[in-house]
């Protein structure tokens, strides 16, 4: 079903029915970094001191109702000032919530300290404490569940055994009564559910932190749909908890800046912004429509249709996806789906989101990705998405090629460009550590690369160097880990990097973006004063690009055409690219010699690599493209308001009468 989010089915094969309702001890942290136990103590002390808390418990139910009936409008977009104003309208709710949070976190903190004092550090104790932490977050409600989900993919913050337990928060959340769900549907859509749906499941087929899903059928057209309904009182509880979080972050911000090198308040605000987006189902519907537009021409991906007439802030109705769970290997084989092709298509789709569209799915676990009968990969649940800027996408593409070329210094510099390291950081000590991580992760060949292994080793690196993972890239890491997990379930020998490298190489060779063109030139030409063409790197890029399959119709011949068009622009703008035409030409010629011998073997290898594609038709296509671009440059420089199509002989009379071509004539000087 679409929009099943991070939910696990509560019952198998729930039949559709006619609507009858009326309505262990954490590891020791290095000096300068607080442990989870210390963090709990800080939370308790700060909350007791400021007394700005709320209650998820029954004792504060009346306070929550009072807050819900407040006349103040709750903004659809997170605004810290509005959240503070709304929370302070009911100080009793704030105080009650805080007392519950303090008592539950306090009890957990005391247990951890007792374990420490009694030396109880065994694996069984650690597993038990991690389970208790997961249950504690469930008891505290949606905001804390989301916090746990975020921590589940932050190896720089929490240890591996705790991460494994917190991952269960993705699909093990108790549901709320269906009678309340039907009432919400009626209130939000303005119709009795039985007027909208001819049938709907008696109970939810899946439940998550923010809502739960029903399977139904529309009366208007008979289409089978998924109906997601938000938890009652969700926004009120988020307001209270985020108010508390933000006040705490303000108290801890100066300490965090000194010891962690980050602005905790900004992190809290970004976390809250994502929660507000997920809690607005109009936003999710728009996200789904953007995904559908992005993948509209991709025959390997299915994005479900949104029925906007049945969408509100708290209800979303989308096309039901009748597919197999993406990790059901035996099911895929029974349906005759090529497993390796399915995996490859999925990785390509993820790369297109991250490196081409800049809009990526932030929660692509197995419950949100399905295999259609025709082999297409279907995505559901678009509440948790994120954007990557064009400049960040360019850096990521460059970083992948730096990995391919084992350029560890540039990998470290990429960390600065992406915000993992502060600008001006001396990377000389980090480079050897980077080399060790990547070399060990690669094993004997690129096929041995494992992203989870890299992440695990990288988590140790963050304790040795001032590396901090930006919140947006923690979501990228989480997304990639989930994608790799699906791949490993279907084929343990599959390597995600084997797909990523060809895709990045193809993008690098064909993308007209000036930043990527400079990156390309810096890769295939080495040396500052006398850049020399690196035949092996160029051959490597071409080899990888020929292997790329990204769901588009672009072939390697188009990549070659785009490469020469981009190279022409770069050479003509040598000052901007940093590669003056004379230097490029000299570097290309010098690359042909090695001592007193011509490097014909390298040239022949590259020609042989391209020979199937180097046809007379391709040569004419390249020449036509270069001539076209050159003529367009001349017309633009002279201010001629014509397109190349206007120069067709059949349009000659019309063009001559316009007088535009006269602008190409020399301007006569003074008599």
């Amino acid at each position: 079903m679409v929009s099943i989010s991070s939910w696990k089915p509560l019952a198998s094969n729930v039949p559709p029915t006619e609507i009858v309702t009326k309505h262990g001890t954490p590891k020791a942290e290095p000096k300068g970094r607080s442990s989870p136990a210390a963090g709990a103590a800080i939370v308790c002390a700060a909350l007791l001191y400021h007394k700005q808390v709320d209650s998820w418990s029954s004792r504060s139910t009346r306070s929550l109702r009072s807050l819900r009936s407040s006349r103040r409008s709750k903004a659809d977009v997170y605004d810290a000032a509005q959240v503070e104003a709304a929370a302070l309208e009911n100080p009793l709710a704030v105080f009650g919530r805080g007392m519950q949070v303090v008592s539950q976190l306090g009890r957990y903190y005391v247990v951890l300290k007792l374990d420490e004092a009694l030396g109880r550090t065994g694996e069984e104790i650690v597993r038990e404490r991690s389970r208790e932490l997961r249950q504690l977050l469930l008891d505290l409600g949606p905001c804390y569940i989301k916090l746990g989900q975020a921590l589940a993919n932050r190896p720089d913050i929490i240890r591996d055994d705790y991460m494994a337990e917190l991952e269960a928060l993705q699909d093990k959340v108790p549901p709320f009564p269906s009678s309340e769900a039907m009432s919400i549907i009626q209130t939000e859509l303005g119709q009795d559910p039985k007027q909208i749906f001819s049938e709907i499941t008696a109970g939810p087929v899946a439940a998550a932190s923010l809502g739960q899903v029903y399977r139904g059928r529309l009366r208007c057209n008979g289409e089978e749909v998924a109906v997601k309904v938000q938890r009652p009182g969700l926004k009120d509880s988020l307001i209270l908890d985020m108010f508390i979080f933000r006040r705490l972050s303000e108290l801890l911000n100066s300490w965090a800046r000194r010891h962690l090198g980050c602005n905790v308040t900004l992190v809290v605000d970004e976390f809250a912004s994502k929660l507000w987006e997920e809690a607005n189902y109009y936003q999710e519907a728009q996200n789904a429509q953007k995904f559908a537009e992005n993948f509209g021409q991709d025959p390997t991906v299915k994005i479900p249709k949104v029925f906007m007439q049945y969408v509100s802030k708290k209800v979303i109705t989308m096309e039901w996806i009748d597919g197999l769970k993406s990790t059901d290997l035996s099911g895929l084989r029974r349906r005759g789906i090529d497993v390796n092709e399915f995996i490859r298509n999925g990785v390509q789709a993820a790369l297109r989101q991250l490196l081409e569209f800049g809009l990526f799915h932030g929660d692509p676990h197995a419950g949100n990705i399905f295999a259609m009968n025709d082999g297409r990969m279907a995505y559901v649940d678009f509440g948790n998405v994120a954007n990557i800027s064009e400049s960040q996408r360019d850096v990521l593409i460059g970083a992948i090629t730096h990995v391919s070329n084992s350029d560890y210094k540039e990998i470290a510099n990429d960390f600065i460009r992406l915000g993992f390291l502060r600008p001006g950081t001396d990377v000389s000590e980090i480079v050897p550590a980077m080399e060790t991580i990547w070399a060990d992760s690669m094993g004997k060949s690129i096929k041995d690369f494992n992203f989870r292994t890299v992440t695990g080793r990288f988590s140790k690196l963050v304790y040795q160097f001032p590396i901090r993972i930006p919140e947006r890239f923690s979501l990228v890491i989480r997304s990639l880990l989930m994608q790799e997990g699906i791949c490993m379930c279907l084929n343990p020998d599959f390597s995600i990097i084997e797909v990523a490298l060809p895709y990045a190489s193809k993008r690098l060779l064909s993308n007209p973006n000036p930043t990527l063109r400079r990156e390309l030139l810096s890769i295939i030409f080495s040396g500052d004063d006398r850049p020399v063409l690196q035949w092996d790197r160029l051959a490597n890029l071409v080899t990888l690009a020929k292997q790329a399959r990204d769901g588009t119709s672009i072939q390697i011949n188009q990549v070659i055409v785009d490469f020469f068009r981009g190279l022409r622009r770069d050479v003509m703008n040598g000052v901007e690219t940093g590669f003056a035409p004379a230097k490029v030409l000299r570097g290309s010629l010098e690359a042909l010699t090695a001592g007193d011998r011509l490097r014909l073997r390298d040239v022949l290898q590259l020609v042989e690599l391209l020979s199937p594609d180097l046809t007379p038709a391709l040569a004419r296509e390249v020449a036509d493209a270069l001539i076209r671009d050159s003529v367009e440059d001349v017309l633009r420089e002279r201010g001629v308001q014509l397109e190349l199509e206007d120069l067709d002989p059949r349009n000659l009379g019309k063009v001559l009468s316009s007088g535009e071509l006269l602008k190409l004539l020399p301007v006569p000087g003074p008599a």
Side-chain angles (χ1 to χ4, degrees):
M1 163 179 302
V2 70
S3 295
I4 293 187
S5 188
S6 40
W7 302 318
K8 182 179 181 180
L10 302 173
S12 59
N13 301 322
V14 179
T17 60
E18 291 293 329
I19 299 181
V20 295
T21 59
K22 289 184 180 179
H23 322 141
T25 307
K27 64 183 177 182
E29 301 282 353
K31 185 177 181 181
R33 182 186 292 265
S34 64
S35 68
I42 292 171
V43 170
C44 294
L47 289 175
L48 284 171
Y49 179 76
H50 279 262
K51 299 191 177 190
Q52 292 165 336
V53 284
D54 175 27
S55 176
W56 183 260
S57 65
S58 60
R59 289 179 297 176
S60 66
T61 301
R62 287 189 297 272
S63 298
L64 282 172
R65 286 174 181 166
S66 175
L67 181 63
R68 190 177 301 121
S69 63
S70 168
R71 293 183 180 179
R72 181 177 298 274
S73 173
K74 311 225 177 20
D76 297 330
V77 178
Y78 172 75
D79 182 278
Q82 290 188 16
V83 167
E84 178 177 0
L88 291 179
E89 285 184 355
N90 198 322
L92 289 178
V94 177
F95 178 75
R97 176 60 167 168
M99 292 307 297
Q100 188 209 10
V101 171
V102 167
S103 63
Q104 295 201 26
L105 288 178
R107 282 197 299 269
Y108 185 71
Y109 171 69
V110 169
V111 171
L112 291 178
K113 297 305 289 183
L114 283 175
D115 288 341
E116 183 180 335
L118 298 175
R120 296 186 296 195
T121 58
E123 290 185 6
E124 184 57 39
I125 289 293
V126 172
R127 283 195 294 270
E128 183 179 348
R129 297 294 174 257
S130 62
R131 287 193 294 268
E132 290 173 355
L133 176 60
R134 176 177 59 83
Q135 187 59 50
L136 172 61
L137 297 176
L138 281 172
D139 293 340
L140 288 175
C143 196
Y144 288 85
I145 294 172
K146 280 294 180 183
L147 181 60
Q149 291 173 350
L151 290 174
N153 291 282
R154 291 302 299 261
D156 58 326
I157 295 178
I158 196 165
R159 55 186 289 169
D160 293 343
D161 36 25
Y162 275 69
M163 284 174 57
E165 188 64 36
L166 292 179
E167 286 177 355
L169 293 172
Q170 295 172 351
D171 54 14
K172 295 181 180 179
V173 180
F176 61 91
S178 290
S179 58
E180 294 187 48
M182 295 302 112
S183 178
I184 291 173
I185 291 176
Q186 181 165 345
T187 301
E188 288 293 311
L189 301 184
Q191 299 180 62
D192 192 301
K194 65 184 178 183
Q195 295 178 325
I196 302 173
F197 308 106
S198 59
E199 56 185 38
I200 195 168
T201 50
V205 295
S209 57
L210 304 187
Q212 59 194 36
V213 174
Y214 296 83
R215 183 174 182 174
R217 189 177 299 278
L218 292 174
R219 282 193 180 278
C220 62
N221 56 20
E223 290 199 50
E224 199 169 17
V225 293
V227 187
K228 184 163 72 170
V229 185
Q230 190 176 108
R231 288 184 177 274
L234 175 66
K235 187 60 73 67
D236 296 322
S237 65
L238 294 182
I239 285 173
L240 292 167
D241 282 332
M242 291 316 304
F243 169 68
I244 294 169
F245 281 2
R246 199 171 197 280
R247 280 301 176 91
L248 278 174
S249 72
E250 291 171 351
L251 289 172
L252 300 174
N253 213 17
S254 59
W255 177 88
R257 285 179 179 272
R258 291 194 306 271
H259 295 86
L260 303 180
C262 67
N263 187 324
V264 180
T265 302
L266 290 180
V267 173
V268 169
D269 285 342
E270 184 164 356
F271 175 66
S273 295
K274 295 304 297 179
L275 278 179
W276 254 248
E277 288 180 15
E278 288 191 63
N280 182 355
Y281 290 171
Y282 272 130
Q283 181 64 51
E284 179 174 345
Q286 292 173 3
N287 292 338
Q289 290 177 325
K290 290 178 183 176
F291 267 77
E293 181 181 347
N294 289 341
F295 285 106
Q297 303 303 316
D298 192 330
T300 68
V301 176
K302 166 67 176 178
I303 305 297
K305 181 170 55 177
V306 182
F307 297 92
M308 290 301 297
Q309 66 270 39
Y310 302 121
V311 174
S312 74
K313 294 178 184 177
K314 298 181 181 180
V315 177
I316 183 170
T317 306
M318 301 179 73
E319 176 185 1
W320 174 270
I321 294 298
D322 191 11
L324 288 172
K325 193 174 182 179
S326 56
T327 51
D328 186 355
L329 179 58
S330 60
L332 291 173
R333 288 173 173 169
R334 282 195 305 270
R335 297 194 181 187
I337 296 174
D338 187 325
V339 175
N340 286 332
E341 186 70 11
F342 178 75
I343 296 173
R344 184 175 293 276
N345 290 340
V347 175
Q348 294 281 16
L351 290 170
R352 294 192 72 194
Q353 294 172 46
L354 191 61
L355 303 178
E356 182 179 346
F357 306 138
L359 179 70
F360 69 95
H361 200 298
D363 202 20
H365 58 74
N368 283 340
I369 299 180
F370 294 88
M372 308 289 286
N373 288 333
D374 57 6
R376 287 181 297 168
M377 176 169 285
Y379 285 88
V380 303
D381 186 8
F382 301 93
N384 188 359
V385 304
N387 292 283
I388 294 291
S389 69
E390 184 176 9
S391 61
Q392 291 170 329
R393 299 200 299 270
D394 294 345
V395 174
L396 287 173
I397 292 174
I400 295 174
T401 57
H402 295 151
V403 171
S404 172
N405 292 316
S406 301
D407 193 341
Y408 302 110
K409 182 177 180 180
E410 279 306 308
I411 293 175
N413 287 329
D414 289 331
F415 272 54
I416 295 177
R417 299 180 188 110
L418 293 173
F420 287 72
L421 292 167
R422 291 180 178 179
T425 299
D426 182 5
V427 299
S428 58
E429 295 183 1
I430 300 177
V431 170
M434 291 281 186
E435 183 174 0
T436 300
I437 289 176
W438 288 108
D440 290 348
S441 301
M442 289 295 184
K444 294 181 180 179
S445 70
I446 195 71
K447 291 186 66 174
D448 298 325
F449 179 89
N450 182 287
F451 192 72
R452 185 170 288 277
T453 301
V454 172
T455 305
R457 289 181 173 143
F458 179 74
S459 67
K460 299 176 181 177
L461 195 65
V462 299
Y463 292 121
Q464 303 171 27
F465 301 100
I467 297 175
R468 295 293 174 265
I469 301 177
E471 183 65 27
R472 191 167 303 276
F473 285 101
S474 72
L475 198 61
V476 172
I477 293 172
R478 171 184 175 178
S479 178
L480 291 175
L481 284 172
M482 288 181 179
Q483 295 273 1
E484 186 180 64
I486 294 173
C487 295
M488 299 297 286
C489 284
L490 297 175
N491 181 359
D493 296 326
F494 184 83
S495 174
I496 194 171
I497 198 71
E498 282 195 295
V499 181
L501 284 175
Y503 178 85
S505 300
K506 187 174 180 179
R507 294 284 296 170
L508 195 61
L509 285 169
S510 61
N511 197 300
N513 185 295
T515 301
L516 284 183
R517 306 307 307 178
R518 287 193 293 270
E519 179 64 33
L520 173 62
L521 289 175
S522 69
I523 289 173
I524 63 176
F525 285 92
S526 68
D528 296 327
D529 297 329
R530 299 172 66 84
V532 178
L533 179 66
Q534 302 297 302
W535 290 99
D536 54 344
R537 291 188 175 185
L538 180 58
N540 186 39
L541 280 171
V542 174
T543 301
L544 291 170
K546 287 171 70 69
Q547 299 170 5
R549 290 178 295 169
D550 56 6
T552 68
S553 59
I554 299 177
Q555 302 299 324
I556 189 64
N557 60 341
Q558 185 62 48
V559 172
I560 294 173
V561 172
D562 291 341
F563 170 77
F564 279 106
R565 293 182 67 192
L567 188 60
R568 186 198 73 85
R569 286 192 297 269
D570 292 334
V571 171
M572 296 303 295
N573 301 310
V575 175
E576 295 181 15
T577 61
F579 288 85
K583 288 185 177 181
V584 172
L585 179 60
R586 184 174 64 241
S588 302
L589 293 175
E590 290 181 355
L592 292 172
T593 63
D596 57 352
R597 294 183 303 170
L598 290 175
R599 297 183 59 179
L600 293 179
R601 177 177 297 179
D602 292 330
V603 179
L604 290 175
Q605 286 178 345
L606 184 60
V607 171
E608 183 179 355
L609 180 65
L610 292 171
S611 58
D613 306 288
L614 295 178
T615 62
L618 176 60
R620 286 193 298 271
E621 190 175 351
V622 171
D624 289 345
L626 296 180
I627 293 172
R628 181 187 183 94
D629 290 346
S630 299
V631 172
E632 286 182 342
D633 286 348
V634 172
L635 295 177
R636 187 165 47 252
E637 289 172 3
R638 296 294 183 89
V640 178
Q641 302 297 319
L642 292 176
E643 300 293 336
L644 283 182
E645 288 74 11
D646 296 329
L647 299 181
D648 188 298
R650 290 170 295 184
N651 301 328
L652 189 58
K654 178 181 177 181
V655 171
L656 290 175
S657 63
S658 70
E660 283 294 319
L661 290 180
L662 296 178
K663 296 179 181 179
L664 296 175
L665 298 176
V667 178

